[in-house]
Amino acid sequence: MIDLRSDTVTKPTPAMRQAAFGAVVGDDVYEEDPTVLELEETAAQMLGKEAAMFVTSGTQGNQIAVLTHCRPGEEVILEAESHIYYYEGATISAFAGVQPRTIAGNRGAMDPQAIAAAIREDDIHQPETSLICLENTHNRAGGAVVPLENMQQIHKLAQERHISVHLDGARLFNAVVATGVDVKQFAACTDSVQICLSKGLGAPVGSLIAGSKTFIKKARKWRKRLGGGIRQAGIIAAPGLVALRTMVDRLVEDHANAKKLAEGLAEIKGLRIENMVETNMVMLHTKEAGMTAKEFVIMLKQQGILASAFNPYTVRLTTHFDVTSEEIDVVLKRVGKAMKQGV
Ligand SMILES: *Cc1c(COP(=O)(O)O)cnc(C)c1O
């Protein structure tokens, strides 16, 4: 099977397995695990933040950030198809007790003027706007890069209005290699950032959140409350260090493979690519091929290819380091053949 469902499906590299095997560990709830401390220090430095904290998943990192920035009854501005709003089980409402205020973005980027208009007034009737959440790259926008200038404008506005900014940077390093912008510049537009180690960077588990020392101190308590305090966590942090140190630059290969896949698919009659492929995702439109996304995914599976039905007529194909350029050729050949036969 050639698995293009997500970049989460990668298996840990031999170097990651070795690192886990040899990791020096301690009790991380006591903040005594040297490997976790090293990972947190490394991430903080890379992102240009004072401190960072290892968390079990991207979702946990995002939720801890919202819990730390906000109080119940406040309002959070986020993009209408953002992961925090779309895919996290309404946890910001259920746990943090905040009300989401969504703004539809343009390829994942919210218009700063629309945000300005959505920020609440000092009025007895209204909730307080306490947080703006950004996402880069934007998953449901097909791995779109949110431009640095857009983030800078939103950050400036947020600062003027005393509102915090959180970045869901599950795939921030994809934006970094796609643009050449230093990750610190993206992170500088935020009060907190979440990065995933287990997406394109290929680690088996974990994310980090980074911010000021005060933010991380508060966040550490929320992590414990949510059951995210892990003891000898160095075992899982060690592959994360390998991911941060060795797996960032190679993301260009995934992007090249996604472009090649998109260009090849676009040449097949009946298929159309919906997104401008900037990073590692291809959004394939299936309607003109006479199939729903679900039907198309079944057809792909019969050809030994796994993909995700994303919208009624949209299939998402994601490249990652366990898929080679040669396998992309195989995918194109098989899909082309199947479409010709009118499967
Ligand atoms: C995957 C993802 C997350 C959540 O990460 P998990 O580790 O799966 O909880 C958050 N945001 C975005 C944009 C993602 O793609």
Side-chain angles (χ1 to χ4, degrees), residues 57-59 62 83 88 135 139 168 170-171 194 196 198-199:
S57 68
T59 301
N62 286 337
H83 194 281
E88 297 187 14
E135 183 174 316
N139 183 349
D168 177 354
R171 296 188 181 83
Q194 183 274 118
C196 280
S198 63
K199 300 272 165 86

Side-chain angles (χ1 to χ4, degrees), residues 261-273:
L261 178 63
E263 283 165 9
L265 289 172
E267 282 175 19
I268 298 170
K269 200 163 168 272
L271 298 183
R272 177 162 64 79
I273 306 302

Side-chain angles (χ1 to χ4, degrees), residues 13 29 41 48 61 69 76 88 101 129 159 213-214 253 260 304:
T13 63
V29 175
E41 181 60 34
H69 286 299
V76 174
E88 297 187 14
R101 178 84 179 266
T129 306
Q159 282 188 315
K213 278 188 181 144
T214 324
E253 295 169 29
K260 173 173 160 178

Side-chain angles (χ1 to χ4, degrees), residues 73 107 117 166 181 198 343:
R107 305 185 58 250
H166 172 69
V181 171
S198 63
V343 180

Side-chain angles (χ1 to χ4, degrees), residues 232-253:
Q232 283 72 40
I235 294 283
I236 52 172
L241 267 168
V242 176
L244 279 186
R245 286 177 178 153
T246 69
M247 299 294 280
V248 172
D249 294 340
R250 65 147 305 286
L251 290 171
V252 292
E253 295 169 29

